[in-house]
Amino acid sequence: MTINHPTDTERDTSGTDSLAVMVERPADIKRSIDYALGGWPDAAHIDAGRIGLFGFSWGGYTGLAAIGGEPDLRKGLPNCQTSNLRACKELEEGEKPSGPVVHDPRIKAAVIIDPYPVFVFPAENLKSATIPVQLWSSDPAQNADGLSGCCAADVKDRLPSKPDYHFVGDAKHFSFLAVCTPRETKESARICTDAPGFDRVAFHQRLYAEAVAFFRAHLGNAGTR
């Protein structure tokens, strides 16, 4: 399933990159799993022992937190004082997280793509993120957008277990999003335009195949029950 995080969606960005959303996003994942295994009419078809997570960008941050990462959300955090993140401004103004970040041990494997932000995760704060992780990185050579190549490489050496790491040459941060329609390309050129020569269609075929193979390797091939 995919989820929309309240106040942090395409239609409602009122909470985007806020301190509140940094706490609420992992909690949303737990609530979604709770519902999928409990209240959802088809819950009986889900194997509770084979739950995986796929997260891109802020979803990557969310995934790292959900699988055991403990974001360092405090005033004076290195790199936060110079960041333009709303959460950093709130922390520097003395605001505090609304509560602890929720983890979910039911998640058994995760595909994490260009997680952002990651300066809130020093190595000691990722020591409990021990499940298998497939980690993807865009190319820092495309960093004119301020996002590409910024983060996954930093996380790679902080995770306690070596991730299945994939560096994608010439990929921009948004190259990991689905292939755009002509209309979407016209309306959202920043998201839909790739580096010259980069084939998003061919890349996504590879991405999907690698992600599915990773999940099958770590979650098994058994059918739904």
Side-chain angles (χ1 to χ4, degrees), residues 86-184:
R86 177 177 167 186
C88 286
K89 181 180 179 181
E90 292 169 342
L91 287 169
E92 292 309 306
E93 290 176 347
E95 292 191 34
K96 298 184 182 299
S98 57
V101 170
V102 174
H103 314 301
D104 199 321
R106 293 172 296 185
I107 302 169
K108 304 302 182 185
V111 174
I112 304 291
I113 299 175
D114 259 12
Y116 178 82
V118 297
F119 58 76
V120 297
F121 291 116
E124 61 269 23
N125 290 48
L126 287 171
K127 63 184 179 181
S128 295
T130 57
I131 67 169
V133 171
Q134 185 178 82
L135 183 64
W136 292 77
S137 175
S138 54
D139 192 340
Q142 303 298 327
N143 197 37
D145 59 10
L147 288 170
S148 299
C150 77
C151 303
D154 292 336
V155 171
K156 175 171 66 78
D157 296 324
R158 298 179 196 173
L159 289 168
S161 298
K162 184 178 180 180
D164 175 20
Y165 181 67
H166 297 258
F167 172 80
V168 187
D170 294 329
K172 294 183 178 182
H173 181 69
F174 293 112
S175 296
F176 288 97
L177 292 179
V179 177
C180 296
T181 65
R183 178 178 177 179
E184 289 169 338

Side-chain angles (χ1 to χ4, degrees), residues 22-46:
M22 293 185 79
V23 174
E24 292 164 3
R25 272 178 158 267
D28 293 340
I29 298 298
K30 183 181 184 301
R31 280 197 297 272
S32 296
I33 296 174
D34 287 343
Y35 175 72
L37 295 177
W40 189 43
D42 287 329
H45 295 287
I46 298 180

